[in-house]
Amino acid sequence: MTIYVFALILLAKWTVCSCCSSKTPVVAFTSMLSKDTTIGPRGILKYDHVVTNWGGAYRPTTGIFTAPYDGLYSISCTMMSSPSNYVHLEMMKNGQRISIVFSNAKTYPQASQTLHLILNKGDRIWMQNHNNHKSKMHDGKVYNVFSGILIKDL
């Protein structure tokens, strides 16, 4: 039985294109914050409620997605700050900021963006607090989302 289950897991990581019968790896993750979360200055946001993690490339203990293949990826984030503070979140690639989202204080505004990125195997993507002060995120498994999917391996 163990061998059968293992074989199913291996098969689930690839899809076959109906038009050309080529194998394409399947990589997709969606993670959320399970509760109101405070992140330190320049801290990485660790989305602890994992909804989907095909391919196992997202690590909730670190908050980092590591590209398992060279390819075109779609990476998205949605955020909502606590009304007590404003928040700037940076999307980081290998330590370099590639985008930033902002949510203002005194209301419950949401901000989101989606980037289509060419990533090399081993590239790392994460969301981090841009501010030099603690930032509080408002959530309960609905507002703050970090997700990505491999569109096409290259």
Side-chain angles (χ1 to χ4, degrees):
M1 181 155 183
T2 302
I3 294 171
Y4 175 73
V5 172
F6 182 71
L8 265 177
I9 291 169
L10 285 176
L11 289 174
K13 292 185 179 183
W14 296 88
T15 58
V16 178
C17 178
S18 60
C19 65
C20 62
S21 299
S22 68
K23 288 185 178 182
T24 301
V26 177
V27 177
F29 75 97
T30 297
S31 53
M32 306 168 135
L33 296 179
S34 64
K35 61 189 178 302
D36 286 0
T37 301
T38 301
I39 52 176
R42 311 292 298 162
I44 296 175
L45 192 51
K46 298 173 185 172
Y47 298 83
D48 61 329
H49 177 70
V50 178
V51 178
T52 304
N53 198 9
W54 280 95
Y58 174 72
R59 299 280 184 248
T61 54
T62 63
I64 297 172
F65 167 76
T66 304
Y69 305 99
D70 294 345
L72 173 63
Y73 290 80
S74 180
I75 307 290
S76 300
C77 68
T78 301
M79 65 171 289
M80 179 186 284
S81 63
S82 171
S84 64
N85 63 190
Y86 66 89
V87 177
H88 291 89
L89 283 183
E90 300 172 309
M91 185 180 291
M92 304 294 289
K93 175 185 172 188
N94 300 329
Q96 299 295 316
R97 179 178 64 221
I98 56 176
S99 70
I100 195 163
V101 290
F102 172 73
S103 183
N104 208 357
K106 300 182 182 173
T107 63
Y108 287 98
Q110 282 191 280
S112 64
Q113 62 183 209
T114 299
L115 300 176
H116 298 106
L117 304 170
I118 301 293
L119 299 178
N120 295 314
K121 181 178 180 178
D123 280 349
R124 299 173 346 133
I125 305 289
W126 66 88
M127 301 303 299
Q128 101 179 10
N129 184 2
H130 172 75
N131 301 317
N132 290 321
H133 57 80
K134 290 181 181 179
S135 295
K136 186 172 182 181
M137 309 298 292
H138 176 70
D139 213 327
K141 297 183 186 174
V142 291
Y143 301 115
N144 291 279
V145 180
F146 181 39
S147 63
I149 187 165
L150 172 62
I151 297 171
K152 175 73 175 129
D153 60 322
L154 303 174

